[in-house]
Amino acid sequence: MKLSSSLLLLSSLSLSTAALIPSRSPFRTLAKRANATVDPMYQLSNDSDFHFELLRVLSMAPYEGSDIGETLVAAKQIIPGSYESFYSAFFTLANRVLNVSTSIDATRFPVSARNAWFKTSSYFRSADFFLHGNWSDPRINSLWDSQLSAFDAALSLMPKPIRGERITLHSANTTNSTAFSIPAVFYPSGKPGPRPTIILCNGYDGSQEEMYHFWVKAIVERGMNAITYEGPGQPTVRRQQNLGFIPNWEAVVTPVVDYALTRREVSPSQIGILGFSFGGYLAPRAAAFEHRLAAVLAIDGEYNTGPAILSQFPAALQAAFNASDADAFNKGTEDILSSPEAPTEVKWAIQQGMWAFKEASPYNWMKNLQAYTLVGITDKIQAPVFVADAENDIFFPGQGKILAEHLGDLATYHYFTGAEGAGAHCSLGAEVLQTQVALDWFEETVKYTEKQGCS
Ligand SMILES: *[C@@H]1O[C@H](CO)[C@@H](O)[C@H](O)[C@H]1NC(C)=O
Ligand SMILES: *[C@@H]1O[C@H](CO)[C@@H](O)[C@H](O)[C@H]1NC(C)=O
Ligand SMILES: *[C@@H]1O[C@H](CO)[C@@H](O)[C@H](O)[C@H]1NC(C)=O
Ligand SMILES: *[C@@H]1O[C@H](CO)[C@@H](O)[C@H](O)[C@H]1NC(C)=O
Ligand SMILES: *[C@@H]1O[C@H](CO)[C@@H](O)[C@H](O)[C@H]1NC(C)=O
Ligand SMILES: *[C@@H]1O[C@H](CO)[C@@H](O)[C@H](O)[C@H]1NC(C)=O
Ligand SMILES: *[C@@H]1O[C@H](CO)[C@@H](O)[C@H](O)[C@H]1NC(C)=O
């Protein structure tokens, strides 16, 4: 999840980070748009990006993805700005909890074992998070293999009626992309009769495994089915198929909808799509071309992603980019990456972006990104759209509102506030509130009233 969460950071540095930037630094311009509102939330690190990523781990606690105490113990080991310390704290934790997972007799204590395996998976994912600046780092794949196998161990321990089932779908060849495989998981409601179903993807850096804890468990508890998937650029597809992001996200979603319609558990007229973080661009984009969807959730909404990211670069780099001066843009971006003054979120967002878009040059990455915009296509969307926005999301201020304005009557705009503890990007830390608001909207929108067996 997080394109949003951090690219945008370029201008969007939080106050704590902005305060660290010397006033004559070139990075001062990066901070100038930071909102003067003080984040009302307690900060877990004085590195604002590390705060956000630690909050992200804690946010999985209500739905089986982490424990609070051990995450805070890891947090205390982490040195602001040090990727290696972040890796090391979570790698140590992941191995400790892995040890717990393997020591539980899963035949006698299946729930305990499942809980431990889910946490193990989360902590291996967190250990990997900041390592994508060096594409040859073998930990990128080894940590991912560990998170996948721990997650599979947890899936196998779910009660049979609601056990998640891994499936592999296939895209068609399109004009702009050759065929690829789509790893997905079908999570049945376990309740009788065809049911509403939500198809979910994560964003710029998040996995489908993480989506279980942010959304799926809450959906299944409400008696509905969920399907998570990943497309090109997302963590498993990037690694296993060596594919970067594509803008025409309907190429990913259409095969998932085709698959959903083959399942007897799925009510064909009650299929929704939810995109989280950068998924707030991807899901509406797909819905503009895939009209079998009854509802769309963009959390948080994004309208003009690529150009908005460019606009947050220093003016001299924007000018170089606009003049197609690849050398100057690359040099300026490399200077940011090697500067001790540049905030973590700035460096991370560039490194993660180049890796996920599979572009070794910053200029080509930025060029590629410019295709990620909903300008001129929002009028092709036919389904109602829930557009979330978050008060303290200094990463993409205003994007949700702009998307809602362009959608007009189709949009239901919801502004999550800092006072509710829901002001962070994607309302991280407020998963119970967020699922209540968004899923109640979905149930009303698809007229889900037949909830027999949900009591
Ligand atoms: C900054 O925060 C204030 C107070 O919450 C809000 O009124 C304003 O709209 C915010 N500005 C931006 C650009 O998000
Ligand atoms: C974080 O806060 C501590 C204590 O206030 C301070 O000593 C340290 O320099 C800060 N580190 C960064 C990276 O801001
Ligand atoms: C795993 O558990 C065993 C037995 O409790 C213990 O001896 C060992 O040190 C643990 N290993 C780790 C990595 O925690
Ligand atoms: C990237 O990782 C590889 C493998 O660990 C290592 O050999 C190489 O030195 C690293 N490159 C940089 C620039 O750190
Ligand atoms: C896509 O095109 C490639 C190359 O032309 C071909 O080998 C492959 O079978 C096609 N895949 C599908 C799903 O049509
Ligand atoms: C394919 O790429 C062209 C040129 O970039 C673009 O105009 C067109 O909209 C793309 N088609 C799809 C389906 O994305
Ligand atoms: C670069 O181009 C964009 C889009 O045309 C424009 O909005 C921006 O102001 C330009 N920036 C500079 C510094 O020329």
Side-chain angles (χ1 to χ4, degrees):
M1 81 146 57
K2 162 172 186 179
L3 171 179
S4 333
S5 61
S6 285
L7 256 202
L8 337 178
L9 44 105
L10 289 181
S11 75
S12 61
L13 317 182
S14 78
L15 292 178
S16 58
T17 308
L20 300 173
I21 303 174
S23 58
R24 283 197 311 282
S25 155
F27 302 112
R28 172 56 60 184
T29 56
L30 298 177
K32 71 176 185 298
R33 284 172 50 211
N35 199 333
T37 308
V38 174
D39 189 334
M41 193 181 291
Y42 181 80
Q43 299 295 293
L44 298 159
S45 169
N46 61 2
D47 180 313
S48 51
D49 203 24
F50 284 6
H51 161 73
F52 183 83
E53 289 307 322
L54 289 164
L55 179 63
R56 179 178 184 159
V57 184
L58 292 178
S59 298
M60 293 185 287
Y63 295 106
E64 222 180 337
S66 64
D67 252 340
I68 293 167
E70 62 200 14
T71 302
L72 292 177
V73 170
K76 201 169 180 184
Q77 314 301 314
I78 294 172
I79 300 160
S82 165
Y83 290 175
E84 284 299 325
S85 74
F86 199 98
Y87 155 76
S88 166
F90 278 105
F91 187 64
T92 302
L93 175 57
N95 280 301
R96 190 177 65 69
V97 180
L98 170 64
N99 206 13
V100 174
S101 304
T102 55
S103 71
I104 297 171
D105 178 349
T107 310
R108 287 183 65 199
F109 310 111
V111 174
S112 298
R114 186 186 74 225
N115 291 166
W117 281 116
F118 272 138
K119 293 195 303 170
T120 303
S121 179
S122 300
Y123 300 143
F124 277 119
R125 280 199 302 280
S126 299
D128 163 75
F129 194 79
F130 285 101
L131 300 181
H132 301 175
N134 180 357
W135 296 12
S136 326
D137 190 329
R139 294 174 296 182
I140 293 174
N141 288 324
S142 62
L143 293 167
W144 208 253
D145 291 345
S146 298
Q147 86 89 15
L148 287 173
S149 58
F151 195 85
D152 285 347
L155 282 185
S156 73
L157 292 164
M158 291 175 77
K160 197 123 200 203
I162 60 164
R163 184 174 301 164
E165 179 189 340
R166 284 222 188 247
I167 50 187
T168 302
L169 306 174
H170 301 280
S171 80
N173 285 324
T174 68
T175 325
N176 295 347
S177 52
T178 51
F180 48 85
S181 301
I182 303 164
V185 184
F186 183 82
Y187 294 93
S189 75
K191 306 292 185 206
R195 297 257 162 177
T197 302
I198 305 183
I199 293 171
L200 307 102
C201 81
N202 213 322
Y204 190 68
D205 51 82
S207 63
Q208 65 170 336
E209 288 77 25
E210 183 181 54
M211 291 298 271
Y212 176 76
H213 308 292
F214 285 146
W215 291 99
V216 171
K217 195 162 185 201
I219 292 168
V220 171
E221 277 182 356
R222 287 161 169 80
M224 302 188 285
N225 310 301
I227 307 177
T228 60
Y229 69 94
E230 287 182 19
Q234 295 188 315
T236 294
V237 177
R238 173 66 182 83
R239 287 171 172 87
Q240 295 184 351
Q241 299 176 61
N242 200 22
L243 294 174
F245 271 108
I246 57 171
N248 52 318
W249 205 246
E250 62 281 6
V252 191
V253 169
T254 287
V256 184
V257 177
D258 290 344
Y259 173 77
L261 291 170
T262 68
R263 300 282 311 212
R264 63 177 168 74
E265 298 93 330
V266 173
S267 164
S269 62
Q270 294 173 303
I271 300 175
I273 186 173
L274 184 153
F276 204 42
S277 195
F278 182 47
Y281 157 81
L282 301 170
R285 159 72 201 207
F289 299 93
E290 170 52 77
H291 294 147
R292 293 172 293 178
L293 301 164
V296 182
L297 299 97
I299 297 176
D300 298 331
E302 293 181 15
Y303 178 65
N304 203 7
T305 309
I309 292 167
L310 175 62
S311 76
Q312 298 179 18
F313 272 68
L317 287 191
Q318 287 183 49
F321 181 81
N322 288 356
S324 303
D325 187 344
D327 290 345
F329 187 85
N330 287 339
K331 166 84 172 56
T333 306
E334 296 298 346
D335 286 348
I336 292 175
L337 291 176
S338 60
S339 165
E341 286 177 358
T344 301
E345 52 264 59
V346 173
K347 295 181 184 179
W348 172 84
I350 295 168
Q351 290 166 332
Q352 171 65 20
M354 289 169 59
W355 181 78
F357 285 73
K358 218 185 111 188
E359 292 289 1
S361 113
Y363 177 79
N364 289 343
W365 163 62
M366 185 56 73
K367 207 161 166 210
N368 188 332
L369 258 181
Q370 300 311 300
Y372 294 75
T373 170
L374 297 175
V375 174
I377 64 168
T378 45
D379 61 353
K380 296 183 174 33
I381 296 174
Q382 297 175 357
V385 186
F386 178 86
V387 181
D389 209 344
E391 180 177 12
N392 308 109
D393 187 348
I394 50 180
F395 300 131
F396 248 148
Q399 285 283 307
K401 191 152 196 89
I402 298 170
L403 175 59
E405 281 165 7
H406 283 272
L407 289 166
D409 290 346
L410 277 183
T412 298
Y413 175 76
H414 190 93
Y415 189 63
F416 287 98
T417 68
E420 297 168 300
H425 174 64
C426 288
S427 297
L428 282 195
E431 310 318 303
V432 175
L433 172 69
Q434 184 186 52
T435 50
Q436 171 234 312
V437 174
L439 298 179
D440 290 359
W441 174 87
F442 176 74
E443 291 188 27
E444 284 197 342
T445 300
V446 302
K447 301 185 171 53
Y448 171 42
T449 51
E450 304 285 315
K451 300 183 194 179
Q452 69 273 32
C454 275
S455 55

